[in-house]
Amino acid sequence: MTKPAASAPSLSVAASLSKPQSATLEELEEEEQEDKFDINISITNPEKIGDGMNAYMAYKVSTQTTLPMFRSKAFTVRRRFSDFLGLYEKLSEKHGPNGYIVPPPPEKSILGMTKVKVGKEDPSSAEFVERRRAALERYLQRVVCHPSLLQDPDVREFLERDELPRAVNTQALSGAGFLKMINKATDAVSKMTIKMNESDVWFEEKLQEVESADQQFRKIHGLVDSLVGHRKELSLNTAGFAKSVAMLGSSEDNTALSRALSQLAEVEDKMEQLHQEQASNDSFCFAELLADYIRLLGAVRGSFDQRMKAWQRWQDAQSMLQKKRETEAKLLWANKPDKLQLAKDEITEWEAKVTQYERDFDRVSATVRKEVLRFEVLIYFFFKTLVAFTLLIKYWEAFLPEAKAIA
Amino acid sequence: MTSALDESDKEKTRSVSVDLNNDASLLIDIPDALCERDKVKFTVHTKTTLSAFQKPEFSVPRQHEDFIWLHDTLVETEDYAGLIIPPAPPKPDFESPREKMHKLGEGEATMTKEEYNKMKQELEAEYLAVFKKTVQVHEIFLQRLSSHAILSKDRNFQIFLEYDQDLSVRRKNAKEMFGGFFKNMVKTADEVIISGIKEVDDFFEQEKTFLLDYYSKIKDSTAKAEKMTRSHKNVADDYIHISATLNTLSADDSTALKKHLDKLSDLFEKLRKVEGRVASDQELKLTELLRYYMRDIQAAKDLLYRRARALADYEHSNKALDKARLKSKDVPQAEEHQQQCLQKFDKLSESGKRELTSFKGRRVVAFRKNLIEMAELEIKHAKNNVTLLQGCIDLLKSN
């Protein structure tokens, strides 16, 4: 009656990007937005609307797609930052409770936006707007890369509808906040109650694996918190140093050295921003990676349930078959030939069912719902770090002639 | 542990001051040093063509306290009052790596063997860096003396270089004789005295304003640079822990994710080496530069202070002479005293002007050199990282 435990199923992983050749920075950026689901988002033309503290930036959101669910192949709308936050709130409300982790938008920045509002026409404002534009673009691209989110009518509305109702009181989730959310999801998954057959060896093994992995994740979570904290500290200390060097430069009586020192202060200022972004990159990417891993583990746990159900159905079918055989035996004994044929038919039917359900059980044990582990997240993380270093090179190469000009 | 510094190391480190040790008549260096617990024993090596010395080439062992003794005797010497005395090298400070090593020992049970070894390696590198820096700073002190026209001829300097016995007896005697009188006075009163005097000379008026302001600014920059460097080190340390945990995860993992985790762990290992290198380069070039000139500017301020005292003395002697003339008592003594004070003040002013002018030039040159080297190093490391990351991205995409 009992079947020996099926061989342990393996988690399958599919990489979703597969371009093998090396790329320049521009090529890499393009590939980042490559359509895996035949949809491409670009965000352009940031434009300041209004004046003073009520001013805001409006961005052009252009979609190119071959998917039939959209109204046309190419369309454009204008959106502001709070619209993106509003979209995120709607999506996380809907999908979050299902244990689905929704990618968050870029962070709010009071300082950055104030500069823009107040109309400071300096290069740091322009840089801030450009960075935000790029981050929003990445954000939307990730949303449409999730097959479930793409189906969500709110997403479609965001991309297509001409006028969106104003989203108010929007909260932006920071990288650190996202990590916290991951932790909660981890807890939810581990608390999933599972009815199990105590003598099931397969189940024991799987549960053990999953629980040990959970532990390591918590450790990594703690470590990433520490890393992000230290990076933020570094960013703060770099800003402090930059200010101090600027003061030193203004005190310096040698003209060329004075200029070089104020240039150094500016480079360090830019480094501060790089560190901030790297902190946000670190926490965001780790959160994404952990989220992927948790989904995988969630799938394993989900399969426990399925397997149990398949097992139960098979057992029930076997009981039923047994009953039918007993009935047949009774009828033979009682010599009721017409009822006997019916009984024989039923036995055949249940024998088929038992075979079917046994096969189902084997199949369920052998496979787990395939979750995609997105290598793209890892690539994204490496890529952002690479971009940071490329900028770094640019800044220091601009500084070098100033240093050489000291006399 | 002993450390023999090779030529390329020394070239790299000998950067806060330039144009030193070029005069073949007196060449000094510290080719190696020994670190025993708290004490560092430096080997001071001299090569000379000067007849003042008994041999053309010789080496002596010296401790940090011997350098301080030498510095203090120079400061206390009246004849050198018009010179900028090179700042004394700071005491070798192994406190930070030692404390970290202690913490590491305490936390050994909570980490994997691999993680522990990596942290230990990092700390050993930190120890070595502190060690190299202290050698550098002691060496530069001596080289500043040897390249100074007047100070290089100082008798105590020669004793320091040549005397092949322990200097500790002399050190004790010196303490008893001077009691650090001059030093203490300078520490407590200089800013007030210097800003208080009525300056007659434009040059010194400008120098005073400049140096007082610059000193406070450079002191602040030095502190901020140190903080920044420490943060960098913390980030590098975090990467070690993350890399190690990913390794553990990967070892336990029996799925296809293993490769993925391995790659990530490997990348973090590489990233932390980079962060560590950036931190130490910054420390060496920028932070050390600022630290050194902060001390040098203090030495320049000390000069201004001594001149201010000489001026004050001169003014007092004038008043005393007037009084003497009024009372018609002890006039010749008063006149002579006044003359002496005037001479001293003039001598200090003349010498001081020379010293401060060459100090300016020296500072600008050193800043230039260090800023260029730092920028070049940052570019080099960043380019290496770009290659590294590009390689990782290519590898991932080819899967």
Side-chain angles (χ1 to χ4, degrees):
Chain A
M1 272 272 248
T2 48
K3 187 132 181 160
S7 54
S10 53
L11 293 172
S12 298
V13 156
S16 51
L17 273 181
S18 54
K19 282 264 167 80
Q21 67 275 47
S22 62
T24 63
L25 211 64
E26 293 76 36
E27 284 171 14
L28 266 177
E29 272 186 314
E30 279 167 29
E31 281 170 21
E32 262 286 297
Q33 285 144 31
E34 197 172 75
D35 45 338
K36 294 181 291 297
F37 298 96
D38 309 300
I39 176 167
N40 231 337
I41 313 273
S42 59
I43 296 187
T44 55
N45 300 66
E47 191 190 325
K48 185 172 158 190
I49 313 278
D51 264 315
M53 290 314 282
N54 288 325
Y56 64 91
M57 296 301 292
Y59 302 86
K60 209 164 100 171
V61 179
S62 307
T63 310
Q64 276 177 312
T65 178
T66 57
L67 293 172
M69 68 167 102
F70 290 99
R71 61 169 154 99
S72 67
K73 286 209 164 67
F75 43 90
T76 299
V77 295
R78 289 194 82 77
R79 295 283 178 256
R80 55 188 290 185
F81 185 66
S82 54
D83 293 334
F84 290 81
L85 298 185
L87 175 65
Y88 172 74
E89 273 187 12
K90 289 203 196 107
L91 291 179
S92 56
E93 251 176 56
K94 266 192 270 177
H95 299 269
N98 298 335
Y100 204 81
I101 293 153
V102 182
E107 292 186 39
K108 270 186 183 173
S109 165
I110 297 178
L111 180 66
M113 264 327 278
T114 306
K115 273 193 193 170
V116 172
K117 287 182 196 196
V118 160
K120 261 192 102 176
E121 286 297 332
D122 66 66
S124 71
S125 291
E127 241 180 82
F128 168 78
V129 169
E130 168 52 29
R131 277 206 307 276
R132 176 161 276 193
R133 181 209 66 79
L136 289 173
E137 194 173 77
R138 286 224 147 75
Y139 165 63
L140 271 190
Q141 197 63 38
R142 305 166 91 77
V143 167
V144 301
C145 279
H146 274 269
S148 316
L149 295 182
L150 184 59
Q151 301 296 327
D152 192 305
D154 278 326
V155 172
R156 232 175 311 141
E157 186 185 68
F158 182 92
L159 293 174
E160 280 185 321
R161 193 166 154 182
D162 284 325
E163 292 279 336
L164 271 192
R166 253 305 286 287
V168 287
N169 293 332
T170 47
Q171 300 275 46
L173 198 61
S174 66
F178 190 40
L179 261 180
K180 276 205 192 91
M181 206 171 85
I182 300 301
N183 213 20
K184 279 206 204 121
T186 318
D187 283 339
V189 166
S190 20
K191 287 198 179 90
M192 265 164 67
T193 47
I194 300 161
K195 289 200 203 84
M196 56 175 259
N197 184 351
E198 301 276 340
S199 63
D200 194 331
V201 168
W202 176 92
F203 181 81
E204 284 287 335
E205 271 176 23
K206 281 293 129 194
L207 195 63
Q208 179 71 325
E209 262 178 43
V210 158
E211 266 161 15
S212 130
D214 268 354
Q215 257 189 350
Q216 295 299 332
F217 293 138
R218 273 168 222 285
K219 192 165 174 210
I220 290 189
H221 185 267
L223 290 174
V224 173
D225 269 347
S226 167
L227 173 66
V228 169
H230 282 141
R231 260 211 203 282
K232 293 214 164 128
E233 223 175 70
L234 173 59
S235 168
L236 225 75
N237 289 339
T238 306
F241 177 67
K243 277 200 200 78
S244 185
V245 169
M247 297 283 280
L248 186 66
S250 67
S251 281
E252 177 58 59
D253 61 356
N254 177 296
T255 322
L257 178 53
S258 169
R259 194 170 50 237
L261 286 172
S262 41
Q263 284 295 98
L264 179 64
E266 288 206 22
V267 171
E268 293 292 343
D269 239 340
K270 293 194 175 111
M271 299 287 267
E272 183 238 330
Q273 285 161 349
L274 283 182
H275 288 313
Q276 285 274 37
E277 281 177 21
Q278 194 61 27
S280 155
N281 186 32
D282 283 347
S283 70
F284 181 71
C285 288
F286 266 104
E288 290 260 12
L289 287 170
L290 291 178
D292 280 356
Y293 216 97
I294 287 165
R295 275 196 288 274
L296 273 163
L297 294 183
V300 176
R301 282 179 186 268
S303 81
F304 294 167
D305 209 42
Q306 267 194 305
R307 192 168 175 270
M308 202 55 228
K309 290 200 178 103
W311 163 267
Q312 204 54 54
R313 204 166 46 164
W314 177 32
Q315 297 305 302
D316 293 345
Q318 280 179 323
S319 305
M320 189 55 88
L321 179 61
Q322 184 67 11
K323 278 205 192 96
K324 299 294 176 191
R325 283 195 173 134
E326 281 165 11
T327 309
E328 186 201 29
K330 277 204 198 108
L331 288 172
L332 264 172
W333 184 255
N335 200 14
K336 295 215 176 120
D338 41 326
K339 285 205 176 135
L340 197 60
Q341 187 51 47
L342 187 62
K344 276 191 161 48
D345 288 339
E346 280 184 347
I347 285 170
T348 313
E349 183 194 334
W350 279 98
E351 273 173 345
K353 278 197 179 143
V354 165
T355 312
Q356 170 72 36
Y357 292 156
E358 185 180 350
R359 246 189 253 131
D360 282 351
F361 173 75
D362 284 342
R363 195 175 31 88
V364 163
S365 299
T367 65
V368 172
R369 180 165 54 102
K370 282 184 177 134
E371 277 289 345
V372 171
L373 192 82
R374 294 167 294 153
F375 275 98
E376 68 169 23
V377 173
L378 207 59
I379 292 176
Y380 175 72
F381 173 62
F382 294 6
F383 175 70
K384 284 223 78 182
T385 314
L386 189 148
V387 166
F389 280 113
T390 313
L391 282 174
L392 216 144
I393 293 173
K394 198 173 86 173
Y395 299 150
W396 285 109
E397 279 182 342
F399 171 74
L400 204 49
E402 287 286 345
K404 289 187 168 159
I406 299 170
Chain B
M1 61 176 175
T2 8
S3 173
L5 302 170
D6 59 53
E7 266 314 298
S8 64
D9 267 345
K10 292 175 91 194
E11 257 321 299
K12 269 187 247 151
T13 57
R14 194 191 297 131
S15 58
V16 291
S17 210
V18 286
D19 294 339
L20 296 179
N21 224 36
N22 286 333
D23 186 355
S25 65
L26 184 61
L27 292 171
I28 306 178
D29 71 327
I30 300 182
D32 67 73
L34 195 72
C35 186
E36 279 167 4
R37 302 187 106 249
D38 257 3
K39 292 256 172 239
V40 181
K41 276 203 172 72
F42 303 95
T43 303
V44 178
H45 168 249
T46 311
K47 243 170 140 176
T48 178
T49 59
L50 299 175
S51 53
F53 294 94
Q54 288 174 6
K55 289 186 263 184
E57 188 169 356
F58 46 90
S59 288
V60 291
R62 290 288 177 249
Q63 286 179 18
H64 171 73
E65 288 71 22
D66 300 328
F67 288 77
I68 300 302
W69 163 80
L70 177 58
H71 173 262
D72 290 352
T73 59
L74 295 172
V75 166
E76 305 281 346
T77 307
E78 271 289 324
D79 280 346
Y80 302 151
L83 308 177
I84 296 178
I85 310 292
K91 190 159 185 226
D93 179 16
F94 294 98
E95 188 54 46
S96 167
R98 197 179 311 129
E99 201 184 302
K100 277 189 184 173
M101 196 61 107
H102 185 67
K103 275 206 192 116
L104 181 65
E106 285 183 342
E108 188 177 353
T110 66
M111 47 182 98
T112 63
K113 191 150 168 258
E114 195 192 303
E115 199 175 335
Y116 174 77
N117 285 335
K118 287 217 176 91
M119 289 296 300
K120 191 145 168 269
Q121 255 176 29
E122 272 297 304
L123 281 178
E124 281 167 359
E126 209 177 304
Y127 253 109
L128 193 64
V130 170
F131 186 68
K132 278 190 182 155
K133 260 194 340 223
T134 195
V135 168
Q136 168 194 341
V137 114
H138 284 76
E139 193 181 71
I140 283 175
F141 171 69
L142 295 177
Q143 290 173 345
R144 280 281 296 276
L145 293 175
S146 68
S147 53
H148 194 285
I150 298 170
L151 293 172
S152 59
K153 300 194 176 69
D154 182 78
R155 183 67 197 127
N156 282 317
F157 181 46
Q158 290 172 358
I159 290 172
F160 178 92
L161 292 174
E162 205 175 31
Y163 187 62
D164 59 2
Q165 306 283 325
D166 200 346
L167 284 177
S168 55
V169 177
R170 281 180 183 261
R171 281 193 271 131
K172 250 192 266 155
N173 291 343
K175 264 211 177 92
E176 280 156 20
M177 262 197 340
F178 298 123
F181 173 73
F182 225 130
K183 254 174 65 182
N184 285 334
M185 289 246 52
V186 166
K187 279 195 175 76
T188 53
D190 63 355
E191 304 258 321
V192 176
I193 302 274
I194 296 174
S195 8
I197 77 163
K198 273 181 301 248
E199 195 44 81
V200 290
D201 188 332
D202 260 350
F203 174 83
F204 282 101
E205 178 62 36
Q206 279 177 5
E207 282 304 300
K208 174 185 79 180
T209 313
F210 172 70
L211 285 175
L212 287 179
D213 180 40
Y214 203 80
Y215 179 74
S216 69
K217 303 266 167 63
I218 201 172
K219 190 165 173 213
D220 185 61
S221 294
T222 305
K224 300 262 162 71
E226 285 170 346
K227 255 179 124 174
M228 189 171 72
T229 308
R230 261 198 307 272
S231 294
H232 244 133
K233 288 214 178 89
N234 286 339
V235 169
D237 284 346
D238 281 337
Y239 275 141
I240 297 179
H241 294 305
I242 290 175
S243 167
T245 309
L246 286 170
N247 246 335
T248 310
L249 249 181
S250 155
D252 290 346
D253 195 284
S254 55
T255 73
L257 289 171
K258 199 188 182 64
K259 248 194 331 179
H260 182 189
L261 292 168
D262 270 341
K263 280 204 189 87
L264 201 52
S265 160
D266 195 39
L267 176 76
F268 272 92
E269 176 58 25
K270 294 199 174 98
L271 280 179
R272 74 111 180 155
K273 284 215 177 88
V274 164
E275 293 279 2
R277 241 178 269 141
V278 168
S280 80
D281 280 342
Q282 204 173 61
E283 163 79 355
L284 218 53
K285 296 287 161 198
L286 199 53
T287 314
E288 266 306 289
L289 173 75
L290 293 171
R291 237 183 246 134
Y292 186 79
Y293 277 96
M294 180 180 81
R295 291 195 295 264
D296 221 5
I297 286 173
Q298 181 62 51
K301 274 168 63 186
D302 293 347
L303 168 58
L304 284 183
Y305 170 77
R306 291 192 289 268
R307 180 176 167 276
R309 286 226 63 122
L311 182 58
D313 288 344
Y314 173 60
E315 282 169 357
H316 284 150
S317 76
N318 261 336
K319 289 205 185 96
L321 180 58
D322 286 341
K323 241 202 216 159
R325 286 199 174 127
L326 228 68
K327 288 189 182 155
S328 293
K329 192 176 164 204
D330 292 326
V331 171
Q333 294 101 306
E335 273 178 352
E336 182 163 349
H337 183 56
Q338 190 240 35
Q339 274 308 304
Q340 279 174 352
C341 286
L342 181 60
Q343 269 173 16
K344 182 170 171 206
F345 175 69
D346 281 343
K347 183 172 163 228
L348 278 190
S349 298
E350 189 192 318
S351 161
K353 205 176 235 174
R354 247 197 334 262
E355 289 275 304
L356 288 170
T357 308
S358 78
F359 169 67
K360 229 185 250 300
R362 204 173 57 230
R363 188 183 84 244
V364 171
V365 169
F367 266 79
R368 179 179 188 276
K369 182 168 189 280
N370 274 277
L371 290 177
I372 291 174
E373 284 173 1
M374 185 179 71
E376 285 173 347
L377 278 171
E378 293 267 0
I379 292 169
K380 181 177 129 195
H381 290 320
K383 283 189 171 157
N384 281 342
N385 291 351
V386 166
T387 312
L388 197 145
L389 287 161
Q390 188 65 65
C392 288
I393 291 175
D394 290 344
L395 207 62
L396 273 174
K397 286 192 165 181
S398 69
N399 275 329

